[in-house]
Amino acid sequence: MRTQSAVARGEESLWYALPAEDIAARFGTHLTDGLTRTEAEERLRQYGPNTLTVGRGVSVWAVLLHQFTSPLIYLLLAALAITLLIQHWTDAAVIGAVLVINTTVGFIQEYRAERAMQALLALVAPMATVVRDGVEHEVPSSAVVPGDLVVVRGGDIVPADLRLVRATRLEIDESLLTGESTPVSKGTEPLPASRPIPLAERRNMAFMGTVVTAGRGVGVVVATGSATQVGHIAQSIQRIGRQEVPLQRRLASLGRFITFTVIGAGLVVLVWSLLVGSSFQEALLTTVAMTVAVVPEGLPVAVTIALAVGVRRMARRRAIVRRLAAVETLGSCTVVVSDKTGTLTENSMTVQRIWAGGETFALTGSGRSLRGEVQKDGQKVSITEGSPLYWTLVAGVMTNEASVTPAGDTYEGRGDPTEVALLVAGAKVGLWRRALLERYPLVTEIPFDPPRQFSASIHHDGSTERVFVKGAPERVLAMCDALLTPDGPRSLDAAGVAQVARQMASEGLRVLGMAMGIGEKAVHSTRAGTPQGLVFLGLQGMWDPPRPEAIEALRAARRAGIRVLMVTGDHAGTAAAIAQRMGLTSSSPRVVTGADLEGMADSTLEQVMREVVVFARVTPQQKLRIVEALRRQGEVVAVTGDGVNDAPALKSAHIGVAMGRSGTAVAKEASDIVLVDDNFATIYAAIEEGRTSFANIRKVTFFLVSTGVGALISIFAALALGMPIPYLPAQLLWLNLVTNGVQDVALAFEPGERWFVHQPPRPPNEPILNRRILERTVLVGLVLAAGTLGLFAWELGRGADLDYARVTALTTMVLFQNFNVGNSRSERLSAFALNPLRNPFLFVGTVGAVALHIGAMHFGPTQFVLGLQPLSLESWLRILPVAVSVVLVVEVHKLLRR
């Protein structure tokens, strides 16, 4: 069976273009009796179970080992080994705690973020109804085979990809695959084979994992397991590895730089110490102490805390972070690839424009509000019974299968969002369906069907019957002989009305035509399914309005240099109108459709993306292709999505952002961040917090590295000048603890600064220590070394003993860093412009560190262990102005570089 083999291999076939009889013949099945039990068992052996292949899953050990792949972690492991070797247990415990905290947090976050494939299993229906030997059976969905005749009803999950052969008022929610926000009405007629039909327009197909919302259908299974559309997505997810984010690259680069610097410096100190007569053990101890003092072992924990603070702040702004590094990545974002429905728009169809009796009216109120009024030229219009406007609204309410339940000024709607919008339009002016049905009792109705392009209902009206019809304007116009005007029926200018409908559609509105008929011809033709002799009433135009806060967020994103591309499964015209209304472009945008992308070369696509901001009717593979093209261009890409079809793009992007309300479990598991409110404005708020987190990481890094640079320069300078090293090994370790123990963590809590929120995105290859910060780090290191060594030499020169001089040097370095933490609070703003209580944790930590050092100088045990002693008032009076100098030097540097 050649065709079935093709299905087993997952090859694409134009099943939607074949008549039902040809489908049955190709699969060797009967359109009434289905397969025999024996045939089904044979095909199950041939093709295997109808399940998704999810690979080996997530390896716990692989994720755990991945936490130890940073050069900085290698250095800390080496320092841990040496401190254990020389039995410095306290230092070993500190370094070990840093490693444990960093590994634990990283492992939890990464393990949770690698489970996207598991969520796909929930899409497979547990049971399926199949027809075998002419009888309906319930079987496990895994037993469904190609050629099976499957029955689906409202509430069912479709168990495999089906070519529908019978459909009765069948509607299926395909949003997880296509991005379409409304259920799709299904039919059975073949579709044209002359061009590829997008997934969203394959009206005679039903796909695995989609949900039947209404009606009943029967279909022949044309693909199972990995050959289904969901199976293709599963394979895409498996092929895509987790992307390395900019922060990981920056930290790795910084770690390599520090590693090579420390190793080189350590070798110099070790050799020099041996040359000047130190014992090997003494030289090794000095080298290890210097290494531990220089290495910013607090950096991994401080980075983790800075990101965790960002996670907490994002949660307050309704963005839930699943992967810790995603916090900073959002701050580096250069392009956001956004869905339309629910993210940029309210995901609530609303009637906004009505054309009736030759006049155009506006209907106010949007979102889920029942408040609103009809206006003309900005003035409220009263609804007169019997007017064209009245009957246009009544027709939308009467020919309707949805329901609306008021809840204060809002409502709960059930059914097709388009029909809900028509009910709400009537309710805003007092035309409630229940009251109208009491006046015009329902006789019969013809539900909407895609091939017919209309729905109709017949109602009692006293002694006669009245017909209402709604549908595609061109289809409804063909049923009408006249147009209702305020003066009664007049001759119909069908071309003129069609032009009005096209104009409304060009503005992004979904337009429906309304008609009405009384009399034998209208009633009998409607009962026969081909209404004729009707009077055209008017048009209703509706759309999914943009979120006002999303419009402002888009403006802010542009000011911050972030490009926003709209990639949607919706129609090109609707997408273009929304893009223009939201300000994505100043003029009517060029829209590239999925059909355009089919034959487009990658080089052409990359050029197109520099000019185009709207992509419509795209498939999952095309969305993934757009993301990959952006990444090749060096962009840092954030992608939003809610459906299963979005999962490959979410995982391929530097940062995937899933919708919390409308998002599927698959999308959420493939993402890094979940938006609680599905709102683009929340994405921009998260970008702000991401930039704050990176700024705080940079502050922490500057603070920690400048300490190490100062200690390193002072040691090298002392060795070069033939002076004793100004610190004991234990004092170097104490310096590391008292200057970096609390302040580095406290810097992670710094609030955001408005100036960098509106800056262009950082270049993806910009290091943590950029040129400005690197200059400042070296400058501060020189100031720290010069001040410390100068006072050390002063004390020795005036006759103080070496121990006293070392305490002076150590205290100078401690105070230097406690003043320098004020410099670290902002990259550009003056330390004097920042309220010290704006970050109370930092203020208390700094004061506490100074108090801790002074206490250690007067406490017997620490005096013995660290070689400390109290300093005279004269020494303090010399140390304080020297230590303050670091603030003045950095203030000058900020002024010059600002």
Side-chain angles (χ1 to χ4, degrees), residues 35 410 847:
L35 299 174
T410 63
V847 173

Side-chain angles (χ1 to χ4, degrees), residues 274-318:
L274 292 173
L275 290 175
V276 296
S278 299
S279 67
F280 180 78
Q281 184 174 358
E282 192 177 36
L284 182 61
L285 186 60
T286 301
T287 302
V288 170
M290 185 274 297
T291 300
V292 174
V294 171
V295 172
E297 65 264 22
L299 184 58
V301 171
V303 168
T304 299
I305 291 174
L307 296 177
V309 170
V311 167
R312 189 184 67 182
R313 289 172 175 169
M314 285 186 182
R316 287 203 299 263
R317 301 181 77 170
R318 308 183 71 78

Side-chain angles (χ1 to χ4, degrees), residues 60 120 209 254 347 372 432 618 735 763 781 857 870 884:
V60 175
L120 280 168
L254 178 63
N347 197 20
W432 290 90
V618 297
L735 173 66
M857 293 165 65
V884 169

Side-chain angles (χ1 to χ4, degrees), residues 594-716:
D596 298 330
L597 290 173
E598 282 295 331
M600 189 178 291
D602 287 344
S603 57
T604 306
L605 174 60
E606 291 179 16
Q607 179 61 38
V608 162
M609 283 192 301
R610 295 186 177 95
E611 307 164 358
V612 174
V613 296
V614 182
F615 295 84
R617 280 298 196 220
V618 297
T619 66
Q621 290 77 17
Q622 290 167 342
K623 187 170 185 178
L624 175 60
R625 186 182 171 202
I626 290 169
V627 171
E628 290 176 339
L630 288 167
R631 288 179 48 224
R632 286 195 301 272
Q633 290 177 333
E635 307 284 1
V636 177
V637 187
V639 172
T640 73
D642 54 7
V644 174
N645 59 317
D646 295 313
L650 287 169
K651 192 171 182 183
S652 176
H654 292 100
I655 181 162
V657 183
M659 303 298 108
R661 289 180 180 173
S662 60
T664 61
V666 179
K668 292 174 186 176
E669 290 292 349
S671 69
D672 304 289
I673 289 178
V674 177
L675 302 184
V676 175
D677 55 3
D678 295 11
N679 192 339
F680 184 86
T682 303
I683 299 176
Y684 183 70
I687 288 174
E688 288 184 344
E689 296 299 345
R691 291 189 171 192
T692 298
S693 294
F694 179 79
N696 288 347
I697 290 170
R698 178 168 274 172
K699 294 168 188 175
V700 169
T701 306
F702 163 69
F703 176 70
L704 291 174
V705 173
S706 61
T707 303
V709 171
L712 189 62
I713 293 175
S714 62
I715 291 172
F716 272 123

Side-chain angles (χ1 to χ4, degrees), residues 448-460:
F448 180 83
D449 184 58
R452 282 197 299 261
Q453 294 187 302
F454 75 91
S455 63
S457 59
I458 302 175
H459 301 259
H460 286 300

Side-chain angles (χ1 to χ4, degrees), residues 51 227 230 273 322 330 355 378 391 434 436 625 653 681 702 789 815:
T51 56
V230 168
S273 298
R322 299 184 62 255
L330 260 183
W355 183 88
W391 285 120
R434 179 177 295 179
L436 288 173
R625 186 182 171 202
F702 163 69
L789 207 57
L815 289 186

